[in-house]
Amino acid sequence: MDIATIRADLVKALNLISEAYGILRPYLDHIDNNTPEQPDPVDPPDPVEPPEKPSKADWECYLDRYADVAKNGPRTSAWAERHYREWGKKEGRVWGCVEEPDIKPDQKRFHHYNPRAWDERGVAVILCPGDKADSARIGNTFLKRHGNLDKGREVWAKYDTPGLIGTLEVVIGGKAYRTTISDDKEMTEGDCWRS
């Protein structure tokens, strides 16, 4: 076999790989950017399903809450429902509108935030004792419920993303609680506030 034949075969193989990557890239990008990772997965509570004919408020709330979803598709109920059913539910996203409690900025529903958990491999949010969250995210990065508890407290985590900063949102019982993580230092709340 001569060098020209080997080169031609390599070019064909690279073209096939490039074509396959082009086809798979949207799916891989979606997984890389939106799918939380977690050791020891725990089944989340049953998610709320969009009704046969969702109200305008529900699908608009879904798109308003998740800017990444809104920018990747048309602003329609069909897109919001499709995203939720195909990806959002698996990612721990919350469908529809959630009640926003009237809370002060310093009233949180988490015990502490560790920006460098597991030997600086990821982040962890530890909730207040007895709280069970529907979802948790920092900015557009979704966390997953960890299979193990921290002294009886629920843990939400994301590997391979140490030092996340931004808005921490924890949805508990359909209510969204938010606080701002402004730097990548550990935050301890200590006394947990109750609504």
Side-chain angles (χ1 to χ4, degrees):
M1 196 178 256
D2 65 354
I3 292 178
T5 304
I6 293 171
R7 178 175 281 146
D9 288 345
L10 285 173
V11 167
K12 282 182 193 175
L14 288 172
N15 286 337
L16 286 172
I17 291 169
S18 178
E19 184 179 329
Y21 178 74
I23 292 168
L24 293 174
R25 183 172 180 182
Y27 300 103
L28 296 171
D29 287 348
H30 185 82
I31 290 168
D32 289 343
N33 294 329
N34 298 303
T35 302
E37 298 170 7
Q38 164 192 348
D40 307 323
V42 172
D43 291 333
D46 292 336
V48 175
E49 285 293 327
E52 284 290 318
K53 292 187 177 183
S55 73
K56 185 174 182 184
D58 281 341
W59 66 263
E60 283 185 335
C61 284
Y62 185 74
L63 294 177
D64 289 344
R65 184 179 309 111
Y66 304 115
D68 61 317
V69 177
K71 81 174 183 182
N72 287 319
R75 190 163 182 85
T76 63
S77 69
W79 167 243
E81 286 180 76
R82 177 176 175 226
H83 185 277
Y84 179 76
R85 291 182 196 280
E86 291 187 24
W87 300 290
K89 189 182 347 180
K90 295 175 200 154
E91 296 166 358
R93 298 186 193 231
V94 177
W95 173 257
C97 299
V98 293
E99 183 182 338
E100 298 292 334
D102 183 19
I103 62 172
K104 296 176 188 167
D106 61 343
Q107 295 173 325
K108 281 87 170 177
R109 291 300 293 252
F110 68 97
H111 185 269
H112 67 275
Y113 167 64
N114 184 346
R116 306 218 179 271
W118 301 287
D119 298 322
E120 302 201 19
R121 291 181 301 175
V123 299
V125 174
I126 291 76
L127 301 186
C128 292
D131 275 345
K132 294 192 181 307
D134 304 320
S135 67
R137 66 182 171 124
I138 299 172
N140 286 328
T141 302
F142 286 86
L143 311 179
K144 277 191 128 180
R145 185 181 291 117
H146 192 282
N148 299 318
L149 300 176
D150 179 284
K151 298 178 184 169
R153 298 174 299 225
E154 193 170 83
V155 178
W156 286 74
K158 176 87 168 94
Y159 278 100
D160 301 323
T161 55
L164 284 177
I165 60 173
T167 300
L168 166 61
E169 178 189 84
V170 178
V171 177
I172 300 171
K175 293 182 180 179
Y177 297 90
R178 295 184 184 98
T179 192
T180 301
I181 298 171
S182 57
D183 59 40
D184 64 353
K185 293 185 174 59
E186 186 163 339
M187 292 174 62
T188 301
E189 296 304 316
D191 293 332
C192 287
W193 172 77
R194 286 283 182 252
S195 58

